[in-house]
Amino acid sequence: GENVEQHPSTLSVQEGDSAVIKCTYSDSASNYFPWYKQELGKRPQLIIDIRSNVGEKKDQRIAVTLNKTAKHFSLHITETQPEDSAVYFCAASLLNAGGTSYGKLTFGQGTILTVHP
Amino acid sequence: NAGVTQTPKFRVLKTGQSMTLLCAQDMNHEYMYWYRQDPGMGLRLIHYSVGEGTTAKGEVPDGYNVSRLKKQNFLLGLESAAPSQTSVYFCASSLIGSYGYTFGSGTRLTVV
C-alpha cells in the first residue's frame, strides 16, 4: 500500500518568514495530493490540493509543488502569520482516470508549525 | 446542515469494556471512514465504507469492528477495549468524485 513520509515533524518560524513542509510517497500510481490544517483541538480541514497533471498550484499565501519523478510534494506558506500555527498533514491517494475518487487517503505523520510574533 | 457529527466527544473506558462510536453525515456522501490520530503517527485508517452495507479494512483494523446499515451512519465498535486504543478517533466522509474529506469533530477515547 501507499506510504507517506512527512518532514519536518516540527517547524518554528518568525512571523513574516516562509515555511516549507515536504512529503514523499511510495506508490507511483498516486495522483492526488491534498494538504490539511488542524488547529489545536479541532478537526483537520482541507487547505489546498494538487493533482498529478500539474506541477504547482497557488492560493494566496499557500502553494503546493509536485515532483512526480522524485515522488515528493511540498507545501509552501509565505508571509507566515501567528494564525498559521497548527499541525499540517499531507496525504496521497489514487483517483481513477475519470476523476472520481477511490477515496482512501494515506496521511503523513504531521508537522507542528509554530509562528512566533 | 450539520456535516459530519460524531458522538460521543469524550469517553473513558476500563480495559475490557465495549463501546460504539457513532458517525452521522447529512451530505449524502457515499464514502465514510474511521481514522485514529496518535502523536507523531498522523491519521491512520481503521476501516472504511464505499456505500451502504459495505465495509473494508484499513491500515490498523485489529480490535475494531464497523457497520454501515444506513448510508448516513457509520459505527465503530470496540468489543474489548485495550489501553493501546487510547486515541483520538475521527470520522470522515466524501462524495464520489470529490477531492477531499469532511471530518467530524473527533472523539477522545481513554482506556484505563
Side-chain angles (χ1 to χ4, degrees):
Chain A
E2 175 65 276
N3 183 54
V4 178
E5 296 289 331
Q6 183 173 346
H7 299 281
S9 56
T10 61
L11 180 59
S12 182
V13 300
Q14 290 297 126
E15 183 176 1
D17 288 349
S18 294
V20 181
I21 302 170
K22 299 181 179 180
C23 291
T24 60
Y25 60 99
S26 62
D27 188 348
S28 57
S30 290
N31 57 10
Y32 173 59
F33 309 94
W35 286 87
Y36 285 80
K37 176 183 180 182
Q38 185 182 28
E39 297 177 348
L40 187 63
K42 300 290 183 63
R43 72 193 76 191
Q45 293 195 309
L46 179 69
I47 56 171
I48 194 167
D49 56 14
I50 191 169
R51 295 185 64 180
S52 61
N53 56 350
V54 296
E56 183 176 6
K57 184 177 179 180
K58 290 183 179 180
D59 183 2
Q60 299 182 0
R61 295 187 297 108
I62 62 174
V64 57
T65 58
L66 172 65
N67 184 327
K68 277 192 65 70
T69 302
K71 292 191 287 187
H72 66 71
F73 57 111
S74 300
L75 178 71
H76 305 254
I77 306 174
T78 59
E79 300 174 14
T80 54
Q81 301 168 3
E83 51 264 38
D84 294 329
S85 296
V87 180
Y88 291 81
F89 292 99
C90 62
S93 75
L94 171 66
L95 301 180
N96 68 15
T100 55
S101 173
Y102 286 120
K104 269 197 308 174
L105 285 177
T106 300
F107 287 87
Q109 295 86 346
T111 296
I112 301 172
L113 173 64
T114 303
V115 181
H116 299 282
Chain B
N1 189 341
V4 179
T5 303
Q6 287 183 235
T7 53
K9 295 188 184 303
F10 304 94
R11 185 73 185 268
V12 178
L13 283 180
K14 293 183 179 179
T15 298
Q17 287 185 321
S18 63
M19 77 164 293
T20 300
L21 282 68
L22 171 64
C23 178
Q25 53 95 2
D26 60 2
M27 298 172 288
N28 202 34
H29 284 177
E30 290 291 340
Y31 288 51
M32 296 187 75
Y33 318 84
W34 278 106
Y35 283 85
R36 60 177 289 172
Q37 182 176 24
D38 303 292
M41 303 189 75
L43 292 150
R44 293 181 293 168
L45 183 63
I46 304 171
H47 286 279
Y48 65 102
S49 169
V50 300
E52 181 179 321
T54 71
T55 63
K57 294 181 180 180
E59 180 185 355
V60 288
D62 294 343
Y64 305 95
N65 57 76
V66 289
S67 64
R68 183 105 180 262
L69 299 180
K70 294 183 178 181
K71 183 177 183 178
Q72 63 267 34
N73 295 336
F74 195 30
L75 278 64
L76 178 70
L78 288 73
E79 291 187 346
S80 180
S84 61
Q85 294 177 304
T86 294
S87 187
V88 179
Y89 292 85
F90 282 99
C91 175
S93 70
S94 67
L95 180 66
I96 293 176
S98 77
Y99 297 103
Y101 289 178
T102 298
F103 280 93
S105 57
T107 296
R108 183 173 295 275
L109 175 66
T110 302
V111 183
V112 298

